[in-house]
Amino acid sequence: EDNLPADATFPDRWKYIEDREEARAILDHQFKRLATIREQRYQVQRRAYQMGELVVDEYSDKKLRFKINVKNGTDGHAVPTGFDAERLVYLHVRVTDKDGQLVFESGDRDPNGDVRDLHSAYVHNWELPIDNQLFTLQSKFITRMQRGGEREQILAVNYSPDPLPYIRPEGRPTILTARPSAVRKHSRGILPGNSRWATYSLGRKSTGSGGPYTLEVDMISQMVPVNLIREISDMGYDYNMSPRQVADRVVQHAHTLWSFRTTINKEGQI
């Protein structure tokens, strides 16, 4: 308020400075609590999602193959847990050649903020190639199609994929199974105390000017994928926010849990 002009006015509810000061104190207290919660959430996720060793399987002028171990650091929960088809945890991997040119990238985002999987609108519309080497722990719902066969699908509501053309409410809480009863789920999570390998391969056309190569890896955790926001956008959002605003905020507040940078030399040593 010190920077306001002398004739500045406030709405009637805030015309007394004592009320404004009290409101400011309440907001400061709430912001402090939110910051504490954010830090605790970050620490919990770093405890659960952990990076293991990096192994180089093949190194030559024509090929580079390596793998990264991703571990579940808990002894009581799979990761992700709960509604794991809505939890986006993945690796963003970048490889540059000896000249500093980017020769490989996996886990990058499309212009909407999605990774380039089957549910990316840009991949679906053939505007970007699918990321075939994407390592993600997000589980996917598999639904039956009306004329046979199955496909991955974003399930924003608990509807039945049965060929009958109407929404069928669930007869039991889906929080117990994290999925509608008529749907199966392709789980990609990691069981307690276990790990999975993220494998990557660069062929002759993508090794650039050769090594030594610089490898950069980020493990990223995000509340929900942007494609889910698009799927439920017809319902609208609180505070008059647009789907674009919600998606941008979700991406902005994604956690980078772990990062490392290393060099792979001619002997394949790290």
Side-chain angles (χ1 to χ4, degrees):
E1 295 183 17
D2 294 338
N3 298 323
L4 293 176
D7 58 350
T9 59
F10 293 89
D12 287 343
R13 175 62 184 86
W14 303 110
K15 64 182 180 180
Y16 297 111
I17 190 171
E18 294 82 3
D19 290 338
R20 300 199 299 272
E21 289 175 340
E22 182 181 358
R24 182 72 254 179
I26 292 173
L27 287 174
D28 287 342
H29 179 63
Q30 295 297 330
F31 290 144
K32 184 177 180 180
R33 296 177 69 182
L34 287 170
T36 300
I37 291 171
R38 281 194 295 269
E39 179 60 26
Q40 290 176 345
R41 183 172 65 241
Y42 177 67
Q43 295 299 333
V44 167
Q45 290 190 81
R46 280 173 61 91
R47 175 69 176 86
Y49 302 100
Q50 297 186 7
M51 301 282 279
E53 61 181 324
L54 165 67
V55 176
V56 178
D57 291 323
E58 185 174 349
Y59 183 108
S60 69
D61 293 336
K62 298 180 179 179
K63 197 162 190 178
L64 174 65
R65 292 194 304 116
F66 60 92
K67 57 187 179 182
I68 305 165
N69 194 235
V70 178
K71 301 187 293 184
N72 179 349
T74 75
D75 56 6
H77 274 284
V79 292
T81 188
F83 288 89
D84 52 354
E86 298 177 358
R87 307 283 186 260
L88 183 60
V89 181
Y90 66 98
L91 296 185
H92 183 197
V93 177
R94 300 167 301 285
V95 179
T96 54
D97 62 18
K98 63 182 180 182
D99 296 328
Q101 178 182 354
L102 181 68
V103 294
F104 176 81
E105 186 170 24
S106 175
D108 54 302
R109 298 176 183 269
D110 68 18
N112 280 336
D114 276 318
V115 293
R116 291 182 289 112
D117 61 9
L118 286 174
H119 300 304
S120 160
Y122 282 79
V123 171
H124 183 78
N125 295 332
W126 295 87
E127 297 177 63
L128 287 174
I130 192 169
D131 187 349
N132 288 315
Q133 300 192 57
L134 173 68
F135 179 86
T136 176
L137 298 179
Q138 180 190 2
S139 298
K140 297 298 177 68
F141 289 120
I142 309 296
T143 62
R144 295 195 303 267
M145 301 177 68
Q146 291 188 359
R147 293 175 175 81
E150 295 179 318
R151 70 182 180 99
E152 284 187 9
Q153 186 166 342
I154 307 168
L155 292 185
V157 294
N158 296 328
Y159 67 87
S160 170
D162 192 278
L164 294 174
Y166 60 82
I167 294 177
R168 178 179 297 167
E170 285 290 339
R172 60 183 177 181
T174 55
I175 195 172
L176 300 176
T177 59
R179 62 176 174 82
S181 60
V183 172
R184 68 185 182 89
K185 188 168 59 176
H186 179 194
S187 178
R188 294 179 177 174
I190 304 175
L191 294 176
N194 282 263
S195 66
R196 282 179 52 196
W197 289 96
T199 59
Y200 300 95
S201 177
L202 286 70
R204 182 175 183 178
K205 294 181 179 180
S206 58
T207 51
S209 60
Y213 297 98
T214 299
L215 172 65
E216 297 177 87
V217 181
D218 296 321
M219 178 184 284
I220 299 173
S221 171
Q222 184 173 301
M223 179 175 67
V224 295
V226 169
N227 52 63
L228 180 63
I229 296 170
R230 184 182 70 247
E231 189 75 10
I232 64 178
S233 60
D234 290 343
M235 302 301 295
Y237 296 96
D238 291 338
Y239 309 109
N240 293 320
M241 294 182 71
S242 69
R244 181 71 272 162
Q245 289 173 315
V246 174
D248 289 344
R249 295 289 182 86
V250 167
V251 172
Q252 176 186 352
H253 292 285
H255 283 309
T256 299
L257 302 179
W258 301 99
S259 295
F260 74 83
R261 175 188 175 103
T262 189
T263 300
I264 304 175
N265 63 24
K266 293 183 178 180
E267 289 73 34
Q269 296 175 345
I270 302 165

